[in-house]
Amino acid sequence: MPPQPTRLSSLLRPWALIWPSICLHFQALAEAVRRDGLAGLFRLQQIRDAASAKLLSITCTGFIAYEDTTVVPSLVSTASGVILDLGPGPGNQIHRFNAAAVEYIYGVEPNTHYKEEIYAKVEKHGLAGRYKLLACGIEDSDVLRDEGVGEGCLDSVLCIQVLCAVKDPQSVMREVWRLLKPGGKFIFWEHGCSRDPVTRAAQTFWNPAWNTFVGCRLNRNVLADILDSGGWENPEDIEEPEDRLSCLPRIQGVLVKKA
């Protein structure tokens, strides 16, 4: 059994991802200036998208290996019918879908850098023709409506480490609830604010750099964002595994929309 992390090592762990992300942001900035001249300095969202995509693509093997030790594979396999894959990034969950239970999957991902990587995985794992990547957010209802995704039409929404990164998690969750059918499933594995006061202080300390360079927030009250979005049949089934030391404590579950 590997040694358990100490309090200090756990509190310092965010730096291990912040520093390479800083380097990738500078690389993306330099590339933007080489390509576009001084105008590249002002294309901050493009720089952030390029750096974030590079970071997640580089680290995806490690993330997948870690998720294999958690409940994530079993959660993803419960998605069925018409599915919305919220923020798939480089497509870390694609191989975990139960292809036999999938009617169709809409991947909603505003960062266009992941397109080739995602479709390569879709082809590899037997979902060709049943997975469509949409370059938008879930709040872009006009785009979704044009694809036939409207109120009460989804059987499942998969959300793996996404609510920490969106601008307005309350709005995202209201859209999730609106788009699900009565009886539809919201399947999630997220991180949020720690209940441990020392860890919570560390999250507050790291959050400005983590949010700027890694692209998400460490100290959101994700549980409240989920529960306040609408009526769920089984909120008591949400699990919060106790992890006092981690700056990324998880909550997880499969919620069913009330009829």
Side-chain angles (χ1 to χ4, degrees), residues 180-256:
L180 279 170
K181 295 177 179 178
K185 296 176 290 187
F186 175 59
I187 304 158
F188 65 95
W189 188 72
E190 293 285 341
H191 68 80
C193 188
S194 175
R195 295 184 182 274
D196 180 82
V198 175
T199 302
R200 191 162 59 247
Q203 288 178 314
T204 301
F205 172 79
W206 286 118
N207 194 63
W210 184 271
N211 185 38
T212 299
F213 294 105
V214 179
C216 70
R217 295 183 182 274
L218 290 170
N219 53 1
R220 277 183 168 161
N221 188 349
V222 176
L223 179 59
D225 295 334
I226 292 171
L227 292 178
D228 292 346
S229 59
W232 303 103
E233 290 184 2
N234 57 329
E236 68 281 358
D237 290 343
I238 294 176
E239 298 179 5
E240 294 184 80
E242 185 176 356
D243 195 348
R244 294 175 51 251
L245 302 185
S246 176
C247 285
L248 299 170
R250 314 292 175 171
I251 65 169
Q252 61 206 36
V254 179
L255 288 177
V256 177

Side-chain angles (χ1 to χ4, degrees), residues 28 38 105 115 140 143 172 178 210 225 229 237 240 258:
L38 292 178
I105 304 174
K115 183 176 180 180
D140 295 317
V143 177
V172 166
R178 187 180 72 86
W210 184 271
D225 295 334
S229 59
D237 290 343
E240 294 184 80
K258 278 187 177 179

Side-chain angles (χ1 to χ4, degrees), residues 86-88 158-166 172 189-190 216 220:
L86 186 59
L158 180 69
C159 184
I160 306 294
Q161 297 194 130
V162 176
L163 295 178
C164 58
V166 297
V172 166
W189 188 72
E190 293 285 341
C216 70
R220 277 183 168 161

Side-chain angles (χ1 to χ4, degrees), residues 25-74:
H25 274 76
F26 275 107
Q27 291 176 17
L29 175 63
E31 176 60 30
V33 171
R34 282 195 298 269
R35 184 181 62 245
D36 302 321
L38 292 178
L41 293 171
F42 301 98
R43 293 172 180 164
L44 297 181
Q45 189 58 55
Q46 293 178 18
I47 291 167
R48 293 192 71 179
D49 285 351
S52 296
K54 187 70 171 177
L55 178 70
L56 293 184
S57 294
I58 289 172
T59 58
C60 71
T61 300
F63 276 124
I64 289 170
Y66 170 66
E67 289 169 359
D68 280 342
T69 69
T70 72
V71 72
V72 169
S74 61

